[in-house]
Amino acid sequence: MMSDRRAPLQHTPVMTYEQMLEKVRYEGAYPTREQAVEAVRLVLAGLGRQLTGDERVELAARLPLEAARILTAQIPDTQPLTGWAFVKDLAARAGAPVGTTRWDTGSVLRAVAALSGPDLLTRILHQLPSGYALLFGRAELTPAA
């Protein structure tokens, strides 16, 4: 007899937090590990304010535990931000230039995309407003008019 209940998600990241930081440091060409840590914290906290539901839970299960804690410590906003508004919000919170924050966001979200896998990433992008696909390293396709 099969049950309709879903099995609880197990925390099964494919890389450690240290490996994730090194990936972000390499992708973002950060001269220090501390800069990569700051970018990861800023962007994952921001993403945690945007994601809800199963996608949030599944992503947290695929991230290293330290990264998952940053993501899930945030209460989702009631008004989701577009990709551009997301970057501007992060820049304001960090007191950093928008261009630098855009770079940081792409560096971190490309690592998140690699950890999430293509199917979950597609579902995440369907949940978020427009403008996030490029931040995750994907082309943003729009229907023909």
Side-chain angles (χ1 to χ4, degrees), residues 70-118:
I70 296 166
L71 179 87
T72 59
Q74 305 303 310
I75 297 171
D77 289 340
T78 56
Q79 282 296 114
L81 300 173
T82 65
W84 179 237
F86 177 73
V87 171
K88 290 193 310 186
D89 178 66
L90 294 180
R93 289 172 187 269
V98 174
T100 303
T101 304
R102 166 59 181 92
W103 181 266
D104 294 345
T105 303
S107 299
V108 174
L109 292 183
R110 281 191 304 277
V112 169
L115 287 165
S116 68

Side-chain angles (χ1 to χ4, degrees), residues 114-133:
L115 287 165
S116 68
D119 294 337
L120 177 56
L121 181 56
T122 297
R123 290 180 23 233
I124 288 170
L125 290 173
H126 281 242
Q127 182 187 114
L128 295 170
S130 67
Y132 283 86

